[in-house]
Amino acid sequence: MRFTLDVTMANTEGALERILGRLRQRSFNVCALNAGLSANMARMDVRVTLESARPIELAIKQLAKLIDVEGVEIIKAEEHHHHESKLRHPHNHTHGHHQDHRQHAPFEHRQPAFDLSPSQIGL
Amino acid sequence: MKGSEILIKALEAEGVDTIFGYPGGAIMPVYDALYDSQLKHILVRHEQSAALAADAYSRVTGKVGVCLSTSGPGATNLVTGIANAFLDSVPMVAITGQVGSALIGTDAFQEVDIFGISMPVVKHSFLVRRVEDLAETVARAFKIARSGRPGPVLIDLPKDVSIADLQNPKFEGNQIEAMPRPEAKQLAMARSMIQESRKPLVYAGGGIRIAGATEELIAFVEATGIPCVTTLHGIGAIPAQHELAMGMLGMHGTKHANMAVQECDLLIAVGARFDDRVTGKLAEFAPHAKVVHMDGDQFEISKLRSADCGIVGDIKVSLNFLHAKPQIEEWVATCMERKRQYAFTYDAPGDTVYAPGFIKELSDRAGDNTFITCDVGQHQMWVAQHYSFNLPNHHLTSGGLGTMGFGLPAAIGAQLAYPDARVVTMSGDGSFMMNIQELATVKRYNLPIKIVLFDNQALGMVRQWQELFFEKRYSEVDLSDNPDFAKVAEAFGIPAFRVEKREEVGPAIDRILSEDGPLLAHVFIDQAANVWPLVPPGKNNSEMLEATTV
Ligand SMILES: Cc1ncc(C[n+]2csc(CCOP(=O)(O)OP(=O)(O)O)c2C)c(N)n1
Ligand SMILES: [Mg+2]
């Protein structure tokens, strides 16, 4: 399954690295990446296409947990009906110069439980 | 004012009184500023212990723990302790000296990219590039460390920033943020689910300690009459002797706790996270239950097990609202009957010391104002099973990372926080060697810590797994050439004695409870003694192995 996410974040030391590290550690392969700073250099917009056997909600939650991340939004899901799931970071506010006028619902979704392979559970 | 002085003032503005650390080149300006400061600095003998002691200091006080090291090896030595705090959600600020800004990226002497190295095990990190940003960075670090789900934050401080001068720096300090209120709609839904349930069960985790919600949990359990199981970090959230307390669930949980989980029709998870040590095979965990999941961290809800009702926000408020009166007499009677039937017994044959019996007797006699820290292995599970805790922050254990070597530095952190409390660390012969150098810290500060060292001449827990799951092929678990730990302790100036027979246990505990200063009891136990019950890895919680079945 492939998903494209838009991530908006504060432009702080290591911000992009944090995103990529988090995705790698949680087993999401990055297929494409595009990142750019806002005009005043305070924020960064990242568009990332991911591939993984794990549910995309896991990636969204893990990214949204990062302190610098202000919003995560699915913009494309291949082999899937287009659906939107988005999450605003609880610590952050939307910055004025990039207002997103759509409504940001609090994160509330259902996902099927998934199991980690028992053979990977060890001492 | 110099950057290093700004750092100290900013720490003071956050209410910090004690920090744990070890000096070196890149952090020398900060140590110079410490020389004139009121902050109490505890010199440990390995940076890992600085982080672990700060972690424990935080667990027992609820404040943010602070540790300090130099760049390079000092910083890398901190990493295990930082990861320990990360996995157990302990608020901590770790400050590392860094080489001067101009040298960063040149592979300078004692330069490592600690910002990058620590990234996966911190909540957030800062590299301070300008002295103007320092005070605000410290304030932000503290705020992040304690907000939401707490955790460690790293501040990497280049040497040129700590010696730079700044006129009139501002210190703001932080107010502690209130947790958001849970949503009324979710609360109402949970309340009716509880009301309608016939076999409900509370599953309480480490989030209770973090939220300071023990009173609310007990009030909820008593008002609803619902039995309560706890995770390793939930131990003490409800007093062990409470009639509705069912003990720990999961891999080394009690039989009655695990049976209740597998049979319940409603699982009320409070500050718990469906960790694999708890659930065993996740798909078969609590298979008949609907789930109400309360947590301060919105990201935990439905992470591993989909919740039928997720309640984000202040656990205390939620618990207070949920005092329903379900009709559950039959279920409670079943749970209580099993609790009687499967209670632990202490009549193991033989005259060698039986560690669970030792722990039980100490628990019965030690009194309430006692903090217990432990290391990792069989002895850790015995402490969890056989010591009766009345408060969650009196049981200090490395649950998430499982860090051998946690026990002694954790005892140091706890004892410094509460000099008048009784602090006992229970360790294993393997784990104790991981931070044995801290005996010097115990001696230097004359901390009256009591060390109970269970010596089975083995890496017991690994040995147990090799016995059960690797056809008794005992690979590299033998520690029969252990040093004489009593002599080692004495070499550090700490009195010590041996406990070799079961009949010596009572007098040993007399001594542990009566002596004023530090003391080490070297307790010899049988290598063959294993931890029971045990849910084998990857199995569901109803497939428990017991001493009698293997
Ligand atoms: C730093 C670290 N290394 C390795 C392990 C894996 N491990 C878990 S328990 C254990 C054995 C602990 O031995 P000991 O401290 O003697 O405790 P016992 O099980 O014998 O009570 C080991 C090696 C660990 N948890 N932590
Ligand atoms: Mg051992």
Side-chain angles (χ1 to χ4, degrees), chain B residues 376-379 427-431 453-461 477 479 482 525:
Chain B
V376 174
Q378 293 178 310
H379 64 280
S427 189
D429 48 332
S431 299
L453 203 172
F454 288 115
D455 185 349
N456 52 9
Q457 309 208 338
L459 299 173
M461 186 58 101
V477 291
L479 298 182
N482 271 327
I525 61 171

mmCIF file of all heavy atoms in Angstrom, chain B residues 376-379 427-431 453-461 477 479 482 525, ligand 2:
data_model
loop_
_atom_site.group_PDB
_atom_site.id
_atom_site.type_symbol
_atom_site.label_atom_id
_atom_site.label_comp_id
_atom_site.label_asym_id
_atom_site.label_seq_id
_atom_site.Cartn_x
_atom_site.Cartn_y
_atom_site.Cartn_z
ATOM 1 N N VAL B 376 17.230 -6.196 36.631
ATOM 2 C CA VAL B 376 16.435 -6.879 35.611
ATOM 3 C C VAL B 376 16.774 -8.360 35.611
ATOM 4 O O VAL B 376 17.949 -8.733 35.633
ATOM 5 C CB VAL B 376 16.697 -6.251 34.226
ATOM 6 C CG1 VAL B 376 15.997 -7.042 33.127
ATOM 7 C CG2 VAL B 376 16.199 -4.808 34.211
ATOM 8 N N GLY B 377 15.744 -9.170 35.611
ATOM 9 C CA GLY B 377 15.945 -10.610 35.595
ATOM 10 C C GLY B 377 14.901 -11.289 36.458
ATOM 11 O O GLY B 377 13.831 -10.727 36.727
ATOM 12 N N GLN B 378 15.234 -12.485 36.916
ATOM 13 C CA GLN B 378 14.288 -13.236 37.739
ATOM 14 C C GLN B 378 13.949 -12.483 39.022
ATOM 15 O O GLN B 378 12.785 -12.405 39.431
ATOM 16 C CB GLN B 378 14.891 -14.604 38.082
ATOM 17 C CG GLN B 378 15.051 -15.505 36.876
ATOM 18 C CD GLN B 378 15.695 -16.828 37.235
ATOM 19 O OE1 GLN B 378 16.736 -16.865 37.900
ATOM 20 N NE2 GLN B 378 15.097 -17.926 36.798
ATOM 21 N N HIS B 379 14.990 -11.924 39.658
ATOM 22 C CA HIS B 379 14.749 -11.225 40.928
ATOM 23 C C HIS B 379 13.785 -10.054 40.735
ATOM 24 O O HIS B 379 12.999 -9.729 41.614
ATOM 25 C CB HIS B 379 16.086 -10.744 41.522
ATOM 26 C CG HIS B 379 16.773 -9.741 40.660
ATOM 27 N ND1 HIS B 379 17.513 -10.075 39.553
ATOM 28 C CD2 HIS B 379 16.769 -8.393 40.710
ATOM 29 C CE1 HIS B 379 17.954 -8.973 38.972
ATOM 30 N NE2 HIS B 379 17.523 -7.945 39.647
ATOM 31 N N SER B 427 18.941 -6.771 43.768
ATOM 32 C CA SER B 427 19.694 -6.919 42.532
ATOM 33 C C SER B 427 20.031 -8.380 42.284
ATOM 34 O O SER B 427 19.805 -9.239 43.136
ATOM 35 C CB SER B 427 20.972 -6.078 42.639
ATOM 36 O OG SER B 427 21.627 -6.034 41.404
ATOM 37 N N GLY B 428 20.562 -8.635 41.103
ATOM 38 C CA GLY B 428 21.051 -9.967 40.764
ATOM 39 C C GLY B 428 22.552 -9.913 40.558
ATOM 40 O O GLY B 428 23.118 -8.834 40.355
ATOM 41 N N ASP B 429 23.183 -11.066 40.588
ATOM 42 C CA ASP B 429 24.647 -11.076 40.483
ATOM 43 C C ASP B 429 25.116 -10.600 39.106
ATOM 44 O O ASP B 429 26.215 -10.062 38.980
ATOM 45 C CB ASP B 429 25.213 -12.465 40.802
ATOM 46 C CG ASP B 429 24.494 -13.591 40.087
ATOM 47 O OD1 ASP B 429 23.297 -13.447 39.774
ATOM 48 O OD2 ASP B 429 25.129 -14.639 39.824
ATOM 49 N N GLY B 430 24.280 -10.764 38.099
ATOM 50 C CA GLY B 430 24.637 -10.236 36.777
ATOM 51 C C GLY B 430 24.455 -8.731 36.739
ATOM 52 O O GLY B 430 25.382 -7.968 36.445
ATOM 53 N N SER B 431 23.260 -8.290 37.062
ATOM 54 C CA SER B 431 22.930 -6.858 36.966
ATOM 55 C C SER B 431 23.825 -5.986 37.836
ATOM 56 O O SER B 431 24.204 -4.878 37.444
ATOM 57 C CB SER B 431 21.483 -6.638 37.411
ATOM 58 O OG SER B 431 20.587 -7.342 36.604
ATOM 59 N N LEU B 453 21.511 -8.594 47.380
ATOM 60 C CA LEU B 453 22.044 -9.116 46.124
ATOM 61 C C LEU B 453 21.733 -10.613 46.029
ATOM 62 O O LEU B 453 22.339 -11.423 46.741
ATOM 63 C CB LEU B 453 23.555 -8.866 46.099
ATOM 64 C CG LEU B 453 24.233 -8.807 44.737
ATOM 65 C CD1 LEU B 453 25.665 -8.371 44.898
ATOM 66 C CD2 LEU B 453 24.167 -10.103 43.985
ATOM 67 N N PHE B 454 20.784 -10.965 45.184
ATOM 68 C CA PHE B 454 20.422 -12.372 45.025
ATOM 69 C C PHE B 454 21.400 -13.023 44.046
ATOM 70 O O PHE B 454 21.403 -12.708 42.859
ATOM 71 C CB PHE B 454 18.989 -12.510 44.500
ATOM 72 C CG PHE B 454 17.954 -12.156 45.521
ATOM 73 C CD1 PHE B 454 17.116 -11.062 45.342
ATOM 74 C CD2 PHE B 454 17.802 -12.921 46.679
ATOM 75 C CE1 PHE B 454 16.154 -10.735 46.289
ATOM 76 C CE2 PHE B 454 16.838 -12.598 47.633
ATOM 77 C CZ PHE B 454 16.018 -11.496 47.431
ATOM 78 N N ASP B 455 22.206 -13.914 44.578
ATOM 79 C CA ASP B 455 23.272 -14.520 43.782
ATOM 80 C C ASP B 455 22.906 -15.962 43.438
ATOM 81 O O ASP B 455 22.964 -16.851 44.296
ATOM 82 C CB ASP B 455 24.575 -14.469 44.602
ATOM 83 C CG ASP B 455 25.774 -14.965 43.808
ATOM 84 O OD1 ASP B 455 25.590 -15.536 42.718
ATOM 85 O OD2 ASP B 455 26.907 -14.770 44.304
ATOM 86 N N ASN B 456 22.515 -16.167 42.187
ATOM 87 C CA ASN B 456 22.252 -17.541 41.724
ATOM 88 C C ASN B 456 23.366 -18.010 40.788
ATOM 89 O O ASN B 456 23.206 -18.979 40.057
ATOM 90 C CB ASN B 456 20.878 -17.645 41.056
ATOM 91 C CG ASN B 456 20.687 -16.588 39.977
ATOM 92 O OD1 ASN B 456 21.634 -15.884 39.621
ATOM 93 N ND2 ASN B 456 19.484 -16.480 39.467
ATOM 94 N N GLN B 457 24.469 -17.268 40.809
ATOM 95 C CA GLN B 457 25.642 -17.612 39.993
ATOM 96 C C GLN B 457 25.261 -17.790 38.532
ATOM 97 O O GLN B 457 25.797 -18.640 37.825
ATOM 98 C CB GLN B 457 26.310 -18.878 40.528
ATOM 99 C CG GLN B 457 26.562 -18.773 42.018
ATOM 100 C CD GLN B 457 27.741 -19.584 42.479
ATOM 101 O OE1 GLN B 457 28.155 -20.539 41.826
ATOM 102 N NE2 GLN B 457 28.312 -19.207 43.586
ATOM 103 N N ALA B 458 24.327 -16.971 38.098
ATOM 104 C CA ALA B 458 23.867 -17.101 36.705
ATOM 105 C C ALA B 458 23.138 -15.848 36.260
ATOM 106 O O ALA B 458 22.628 -15.081 37.075
ATOM 107 C CB ALA B 458 22.908 -18.281 36.587
ATOM 108 N N LEU B 459 23.103 -15.694 34.939
ATOM 109 C CA LEU B 459 22.164 -14.761 34.335
ATOM 110 C C LEU B 459 20.847 -15.520 34.313
ATOM 111 O O LEU B 459 20.463 -16.145 33.328
ATOM 112 C CB LEU B 459 22.640 -14.383 32.932
ATOM 113 C CG LEU B 459 24.010 -13.682 32.911
ATOM 114 C CD1 LEU B 459 24.515 -13.485 31.481
ATOM 115 C CD2 LEU B 459 23.938 -12.336 33.638
ATOM 116 N N GLY B 460 20.186 -15.484 35.472
ATOM 117 C CA GLY B 460 19.107 -16.419 35.749
ATOM 118 C C GLY B 460 17.967 -16.389 34.737
ATOM 119 O O GLY B 460 17.493 -17.433 34.305
ATOM 120 N N MET B 461 17.527 -15.216 34.376
ATOM 121 C CA MET B 461 16.373 -15.147 33.489
ATOM 122 C C MET B 461 16.704 -15.706 32.106
ATOM 123 O O MET B 461 15.893 -16.405 31.497
ATOM 124 C CB MET B 461 15.881 -13.697 33.390
ATOM 125 C CG MET B 461 14.596 -13.540 32.613
ATOM 126 S SD MET B 461 13.251 -14.510 33.330
ATOM 127 C CE MET B 461 12.352 -13.244 34.212
ATOM 128 N N VAL B 477 25.720 -18.223 30.315
ATOM 129 C CA VAL B 477 24.934 -17.677 31.421
ATOM 130 C C VAL B 477 25.535 -18.015 32.783
ATOM 131 O O VAL B 477 24.996 -17.642 33.820
ATOM 132 C CB VAL B 477 23.462 -18.172 31.389
ATOM 133 C CG1 VAL B 477 22.733 -17.558 30.204
ATOM 134 C CG2 VAL B 477 23.385 -19.693 31.350
ATOM 135 N N LEU B 479 27.784 -17.755 35.924
ATOM 136 C CA LEU B 479 28.539 -16.736 36.666
ATOM 137 C C LEU B 479 29.137 -17.343 37.931
ATOM 138 O O LEU B 479 29.222 -16.690 38.970
ATOM 139 C CB LEU B 479 27.629 -15.548 37.028
ATOM 140 C CG LEU B 479 26.998 -14.747 35.882
ATOM 141 C CD1 LEU B 479 26.172 -13.577 36.443
ATOM 142 C CD2 LEU B 479 28.046 -14.189 34.932
ATOM 143 N N ASN B 482 31.814 -15.605 40.122
ATOM 144 C CA ASN B 482 31.529 -14.290 40.707
ATOM 145 C C ASN B 482 32.567 -13.909 41.763
ATOM 146 O O ASN B 482 33.073 -14.771 42.472
ATOM 147 C CB ASN B 482 30.169 -14.330 41.421
ATOM 148 C CG ASN B 482 29.022 -13.989 40.486
ATOM 149 O OD1 ASN B 482 29.191 -13.195 39.576
ATOM 150 N ND2 ASN B 482 27.873 -14.598 40.714
ATOM 151 N N ILE B 525 21.219 -18.042 46.444
ATOM 152 C CA ILE B 525 19.974 -18.761 46.134
ATOM 153 C C ILE B 525 20.248 -19.870 45.126
ATOM 154 O O ILE B 525 21.292 -19.892 44.470
ATOM 155 C CB ILE B 525 18.869 -17.816 45.609
ATOM 156 C CG1 ILE B 525 19.305 -17.117 44.310
ATOM 157 C CG2 ILE B 525 18.477 -16.796 46.666
ATOM 158 C CD1 ILE B 525 18.197 -16.341 43.623
HETATM 159 MG MG MG C 2 21.659 -13.983 38.695
#
